[in-house]
């Protein structure tokens, strides 16, 4: 799994271990938030059972980097009245 955000919103990342439940750890990011200002982020989950190529960690990393570059240069659509 991965979380992508912009560099100006990113503060830090980390992980936390748990005991006694079905989830033994989780990862997180800290964001620099400003009230009433939007934040861009994207979650990515790459499951090997859904796409066997994700069994190779480099394939998943390349996909995350590709997605990050796409977020830096989003497609813009403009509608004009005729």
């Amino acid at each position: 799994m991965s979380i992508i955000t912009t560099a100006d919103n990113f503060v830090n990342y980390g992980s936390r271990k748990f005991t006694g439940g079905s989830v033994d750890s989780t990862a997180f990011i800290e964001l620099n938030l400003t009230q009433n200002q939007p934040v861009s982020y994207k979650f990515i989950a790459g499951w090997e059972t859904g796409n066997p190529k994700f069994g190779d960690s480099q394939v998943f990393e390349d996909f995350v980097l590709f997605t990050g570059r796409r977020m830096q240069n989003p497609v813009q659509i403009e509608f004009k009245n005729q």
Side-chain angles (χ1 to χ4, degrees), residues 70-79:
R70 283 185 26 207
M71 286 179 67
Q72 289 175 335
N73 300 295
V75 173
Q76 295 184 12
I77 300 172
E78 183 177 322
F79 294 96

Side-chain angles (χ1 to χ4, degrees), residues 3 5-15 27-33 39:
I3 305 172
T5 190
T6 58
D8 58 329
N9 288 328
F10 178 79
V11 175
N12 197 4
Y13 70 95
S15 63
F28 61 89
I29 62 172
E30 295 177 43
L31 299 175
N32 181 24
L33 304 177
V39 174

Side-chain angles (χ1 to χ4, degrees), residues 17-25:
K17 300 261 184 219
F18 299 99
T19 58
S22 61
V23 175
D24 60 2
S25 67

Side-chain angles (χ1 to χ4, degrees), residues 12-57:
N12 197 4
Y13 70 95
S15 63
R16 184 166 192 169
K17 300 261 184 219
F18 299 99
T19 58
S22 61
V23 175
D24 60 2
S25 67
T26 190
F28 61 89
I29 62 172
E30 295 177 43
L31 299 175
N32 181 24
L33 304 177
T34 303
Q35 188 171 355
N36 297 321
Q37 295 297 314
V39 174
S40 295
Y41 63 91
K42 184 169 187 80
F43 290 101
I44 299 176
W47 302 111
E48 186 175 348
T49 56
N51 183 341
K53 292 179 183 178
F54 286 143
D56 181 344
S57 62

Side-chain angles (χ1 to χ4, degrees), residues 53-66:
K53 292 179 183 178
F54 286 143
D56 181 344
S57 62
Q58 187 62 55
V59 171
F60 182 72
E61 183 178 335
D62 291 345
F63 180 72
V64 170
L65 293 172
F66 172 77

